Amino acid sequence: MSSYTKPAPNFDLSSPSPAYTLASGDKMPIIAYGTFRSNPGEVGPAVIEALKAGYRHLDLAHVYGNEEEIGKALKQAFDEGIVTREELFITGKLWNSDHDVEIVPQAAAHSLNNLQLDYFDLYLIHFPVCWKHTGLATPSDGASELGDTPLIDTWRAMEDLVEKGVCKNIGVSNYPMMLMHDLVTQAKIQPACNQIEVHAYYQRESLVNYCLSRNICVSAHTPLGGGVLNSETWDAPIPLKDAIILEIAKNHGKSRAQVLLRSLLQRGIVILPKSVKPHRMAENKDILDFSLTEEEMKKIATLDKYVSYKTNPNPRSSFMGGPDAFSALGSDIFD
């Protein structure tokens, strides 16, 4: 029988505005607004609506291709007094083709210029893979070739960004446990966060608890397991359609999405739900007025299939057409 004691959540869910306290002391709101899969022309208005709905943590990435539109929306929000920069926690990400040491500060500056901002609250290495640089305005996402910059060298360049005030905190995304530990043993500035695929069907207990035990925030970039789009596109099973989730939702008078999001919060995980629909934005935030019982959490734990559904765009297919595609589907960096 294991004597392991699970780390306690870093935040207080009874607080009206719960936040994760990072190692730096900075406060990260535990419910973020995600901007992945937001189409041109809709992401700007969606960000404005999210800010009006009370979101104060925005999750962005250069490769999403929408930084400039979001920058215009942020300027509008500041100009109209909807929110101030100081009230926001903004996360950005370094793309795979920008890992070279001399490119890292240029990539961060490029993104900040797009966003019309002076600094990131958190800046993440998007994936643990280096590709050859293809230009700041043209991030590689097809026929991508492996580069030769070690991950730790990229991290050293990230640490320099903190020292220069470009980023208040730095972290990683999509890092498995042993890469995470390798970084922890070498980092001068410890990673503040690991943003990963984690949901009811892929619970990743070892990785989550490893990070939390070292006060490394875990944030879920696909807290609903990819949602209906994954189901329709790849015929992937999704937690939203699970009978156990539906039963628990009925018991609480909540939606299935709200149950899935709340379950992650109760595990101490920050969530990044995404929607461009105002009523969904409000619903995704309305999860602090109920709690799941220990028995309900145990039921959700039984749903773990221990299988990644690649709900973040795994860069496997990005290798297609290039010299480093090592299978008919590209190259899976997590093999």
Side-chain angles (χ1 to χ4, degrees), residues 80-306:
E80 294 179 2
I82 297 171
V83 69
T84 66
R85 173 64 183 94
E86 293 71 26
E87 292 174 313
L88 294 181
F89 188 100
I90 295 181
T91 298
K93 302 186 191 75
L94 178 80
W95 185 237
N96 308 338
S97 53
D98 297 331
H99 276 220
D100 294 346
V101 170
E102 69 278 10
I103 299 299
V104 171
Q106 297 176 39
H110 182 78
S111 288
L112 287 170
N113 183 64
N114 287 341
L115 295 164
Q116 303 184 50
L117 299 175
D118 296 324
Y119 65 92
F120 282 115
D121 295 281
L122 176 64
Y123 196 51
L124 308 177
I125 294 176
H126 204 146
F127 279 101
V129 62
C130 170
W131 291 342
K132 290 185 178 179
H133 184 59
T134 54
L136 295 174
T138 53
S140 178
D141 193 21
S144 301
E145 297 183 47
L146 292 170
D148 56 11
T149 300
L151 289 172
I152 189 58
D153 288 355
T154 300
W155 185 255
R156 294 283 181 251
M158 297 277 283
E159 291 175 326
D160 286 342
L161 296 180
V162 177
E163 293 172 2
K164 294 174 181 176
V166 176
C167 309
K168 290 190 173 184
N169 301 275
I170 52 175
V172 296
S173 182
N174 302 302
Y175 266 50
M177 180 172 165
M178 291 319 297
L179 276 182
M180 204 66 226
H181 183 63
D182 187 63
L183 175 58
V184 165
T185 60
Q186 298 182 75
K188 297 174 184 175
I189 298 176
Q190 288 295 307
C193 178
N194 187 13
Q195 186 180 125
I196 59 173
E197 176 189 3
V198 57
H199 46 77
Y201 280 2
Y202 192 39
Q203 298 186 24
R204 311 187 77 173
E205 186 175 13
S206 297
L207 175 58
V208 169
N209 290 339
Y210 170 86
C211 290
L212 296 183
S213 72
R214 285 155 173 78
N215 196 23
I216 298 169
C217 173
V218 175
S219 57
H221 58 55
T222 43
L224 304 181
V228 176
L229 183 58
N230 270 37
S231 177
E232 294 175 347
T233 305
W234 296 291
D235 195 30
I238 57 172
L240 280 169
K241 295 183 177 180
D242 196 283
I244 287 178
I245 300 301
L246 178 58
E247 175 192 359
I248 295 173
K250 286 182 177 179
N251 290 342
H252 289 276
K254 290 288 185 177
S255 72
R256 289 165 289 180
Q258 288 173 315
V259 167
L260 291 168
L261 296 173
R262 177 73 195 197
S263 69
L264 289 170
L265 292 184
Q266 289 186 209
R267 291 180 61 197
I269 298 170
V270 171
I271 55 173
L272 283 61
K274 313 169 188 71
S275 180
V276 296
K277 300 175 181 177
H279 73 282
R280 292 290 187 202
M281 294 179 193
E283 178 183 297
N284 290 339
K285 282 187 90 272
D286 186 25
I287 53 175
L288 299 178
D289 61 348
F290 79 108
S291 61
L292 302 174
T293 66
E294 183 177 350
E295 187 61 31
E296 288 169 334
M297 289 294 289
K298 286 180 179 178
K299 284 184 179 181
I300 294 173
T302 67
L303 301 180
D304 192 4
K305 301 181 185 299
Y306 206 67

Side-chain angles (χ1 to χ4, degrees), residues 29 31 50-58 82-83 87-90:
I31 305 175
L51 295 175
K52 289 180 178 178
Y55 286 87
R56 293 297 180 262
H57 178 182
L58 302 180
I82 297 171
V83 69
E87 292 174 313
L88 294 181
F89 188 100
I90 295 181

